Short mmCIF file of all heavy atoms in Angstrom, two decimals:
data_model
loop_
_atom_site.label_atom_id
_atom_site.label_comp_id
_atom_site.label_asym_id
_atom_site.label_seq_id
_atom_site.Cartn_x
_atom_site.Cartn_y
_atom_site.Cartn_z
N VAL F 10 9.89 95.14 89.31
CA VAL F 10 9.41 96.17 88.37
C VAL F 10 9.68 97.54 88.99
O VAL F 10 9.26 97.81 90.13
CB VAL F 10 7.90 95.99 88.09
CG1 VAL F 10 7.40 97.10 87.16
CG2 VAL F 10 7.63 94.62 87.47
N VAL F 16 0.66 103.89 88.30
CA VAL F 16 -0.29 103.23 87.41
C VAL F 16 0.44 102.36 86.39
O VAL F 16 0.04 101.23 86.12
CB VAL F 16 -1.19 104.26 86.70
CG1 VAL F 16 -2.06 103.59 85.65
CG2 VAL F 16 -2.07 104.99 87.72
N MET F 17 1.51 102.89 85.83
CA MET F 17 2.29 102.13 84.85
C MET F 17 2.90 100.89 85.50
O MET F 17 2.88 99.80 84.94
CB MET F 17 3.40 103.01 84.26
CG MET F 17 4.28 102.30 83.23
SD MET F 17 3.37 101.67 81.81
CE MET F 17 2.95 103.22 81.01
N LEU F 64 17.48 108.55 91.43
CA LEU F 64 18.52 107.94 90.61
C LEU F 64 17.85 107.46 89.32
O LEU F 64 16.87 106.72 89.38
CB LEU F 64 19.15 106.75 91.36
CG LEU F 64 20.46 106.19 90.81
CD1 LEU F 64 21.59 107.21 90.95
CD2 LEU F 64 20.82 104.90 91.54
N ARG F 81 19.89 90.53 85.53
CA ARG F 81 19.83 91.14 84.20
C ARG F 81 18.90 92.34 84.24
O ARG F 81 17.79 92.24 84.78
CB ARG F 81 19.30 90.13 83.18
CG ARG F 81 19.98 88.78 83.20
CD ARG F 81 21.42 88.85 82.75
NE ARG F 81 21.99 87.52 82.62
CZ ARG F 81 23.23 87.27 82.23
NH1 ARG F 81 24.04 88.26 81.96
NH2 ARG F 81 23.68 86.03 82.13
N ARG F 96 23.08 105.55 76.70
CA ARG F 96 23.34 105.55 78.15
C ARG F 96 22.97 104.22 78.78
O ARG F 96 23.71 103.69 79.62
CB ARG F 96 22.55 106.68 78.83
CG ARG F 96 23.18 108.05 78.67
CD ARG F 96 22.61 109.01 79.71
NE ARG F 96 23.04 108.67 81.05
CZ ARG F 96 22.27 108.75 82.14
NH1 ARG F 96 21.01 109.16 82.04
NH2 ARG F 96 22.73 108.42 83.33
N GLU F 99 25.47 101.48 77.58
CA GLU F 99 26.77 101.69 78.23
C GLU F 99 26.74 101.30 79.70
O GLU F 99 27.74 100.85 80.27
CB GLU F 99 27.22 103.14 78.07
CG GLU F 99 27.67 103.48 76.65
CD GLU F 99 27.91 104.96 76.46
OE1 GLU F 99 27.74 105.73 77.44
OE2 GLU F 99 28.25 105.36 75.33
N THR F 110 5.22 97.60 73.99
CA THR F 110 5.47 96.16 73.89
C THR F 110 4.26 95.36 74.36
O THR F 110 3.63 95.71 75.35
CB THR F 110 6.70 95.79 74.77
OG1 THR F 110 7.83 96.51 74.30
CG2 THR F 110 7.00 94.31 74.71
N ARG F 112 2.18 91.95 75.83
CA ARG F 112 2.43 91.06 76.96
C ARG F 112 3.34 89.90 76.54
O ARG F 112 4.31 89.58 77.23
CB ARG F 112 1.11 90.52 77.51
CG ARG F 112 1.31 89.50 78.65
CD ARG F 112 0.03 88.78 79.00
NE ARG F 112 0.28 87.76 80.01
CZ ARG F 112 0.79 86.56 79.73
NH1 ARG F 112 1.10 86.23 78.49
NH2 ARG F 112 0.99 85.68 80.71
N ASP F 117 8.53 87.07 76.63
CA ASP F 117 9.65 86.49 75.87
C ASP F 117 10.94 87.23 76.15
O ASP F 117 12.02 86.63 76.27
CB ASP F 117 9.34 86.53 74.36
CG ASP F 117 8.29 85.52 73.94
OD1 ASP F 117 8.02 84.60 74.73
OD2 ASP F 117 7.75 85.66 72.83
N ALA F 118 10.83 88.56 76.26
CA ALA F 118 12.02 89.37 76.52
C ALA F 118 12.61 89.06 77.89
O ALA F 118 13.84 88.98 78.04
CB ALA F 118 11.66 90.85 76.42
N GLU F 135 16.83 99.36 65.10
CA GLU F 135 17.01 100.14 63.87
C GLU F 135 17.86 101.38 64.13
O GLU F 135 18.75 101.72 63.35
CB GLU F 135 15.65 100.56 63.30
CG GLU F 135 14.88 99.41 62.65
CD GLU F 135 13.45 99.80 62.32
OE1 GLU F 135 13.11 101.00 62.40
OE2 GLU F 135 12.66 98.89 61.98
N ARG F 140 22.90 104.23 63.63
CA ARG F 140 23.97 105.02 64.27
C ARG F 140 25.34 104.41 63.98
O ARG F 140 26.31 105.12 63.74
CB ARG F 140 23.72 105.08 65.78
CG ARG F 140 24.60 106.11 66.50
CD ARG F 140 24.13 106.31 67.92
NE ARG F 140 24.91 107.32 68.60
CZ ARG F 140 24.69 108.62 68.53
NH1 ARG F 140 23.70 109.07 67.78
NH2 ARG F 140 25.44 109.47 69.20
N THR F 150 37.75 121.46 66.92
CA THR F 150 38.88 121.96 67.71
C THR F 150 38.33 122.70 68.93
O THR F 150 37.15 123.05 68.98
CB THR F 150 39.75 122.92 66.89
OG1 THR F 150 38.98 124.09 66.59
CG2 THR F 150 40.21 122.27 65.59
#
Side-chain angles (χ1 to χ4, degrees):
V10 178
V16 173
M17 180 59 71
L64 194 66
R81 310 293 188 180
R96 281 198 69 219
E99 286 171 1
T110 300
R112 177 191 176 280
D117 287 344
E135 287 170 11
R140 192 170 182 84
T150 66

